[in-house]
Amino acid sequence: MLKSRKFLWPLVLTVIFIGVILYFYLYEELTDTAYFTVGWLILIVILLWLGNTLITRLLDKWIPWLKFGKQRYFLHLLIGIVYSVSIINTAYYLFKILFTQDPPTTEQLVVTNVFGGIIFIPAFSIYFSLQFLNHWRESEIEMEKFQK
């Protein structure tokens, strides 16, 4: 049994994702490009999740929400976006040079950034909003304790 419910959704999504991958692997004939894309997406999701969790923990330690609310919000947003775009580009570049003969072209990098922005920036925004709301709720609970 899981002790924490916060790992339940990532676990459920991971199981569904693995099931979809296995289905396509076993029952569909995919090109190398499809495997390349799936591998790249898996790497991106893992790195974004781990990196943003680390960013949140470090900022919680050095720039707490209670003392630096507005500054923390904008700093976290800026660092998260820079990190996300860097990971998207670095992972694409590495996959492209390691698994294909040609280095990425400028057009491919532009398309990667556009798709990355369409897919991952909204996901990061949702993650960031949930983090903000959780910390806000915790601060409200602490305020209620001090008032009693």
Side-chain angles (χ1 to χ4, degrees), residues 16-70:
I16 290 170
F17 188 68
I18 289 171
V20 169
I21 290 172
L22 284 174
Y23 170 80
F24 280 105
Y25 180 74
L26 295 173
Y27 299 110
E28 301 289 330
E29 291 187 30
L30 299 176
T31 65
D32 290 341
T33 304
Y35 290 115
F36 170 79
T37 303
V38 169
W40 176 71
L41 287 172
I42 290 170
L43 179 66
I44 292 292
V45 168
I46 291 169
L47 290 175
L48 287 178
W49 182 51
L50 293 174
N52 284 315
T53 300
L54 179 63
I55 289 169
T56 299
R57 289 184 182 176
L58 290 173
L59 288 176
D60 283 347
K61 183 177 179 180
W62 293 331
I63 305 171
W65 284 104
L66 292 176
K67 290 184 181 178
F68 306 100
K70 290 179 188 176

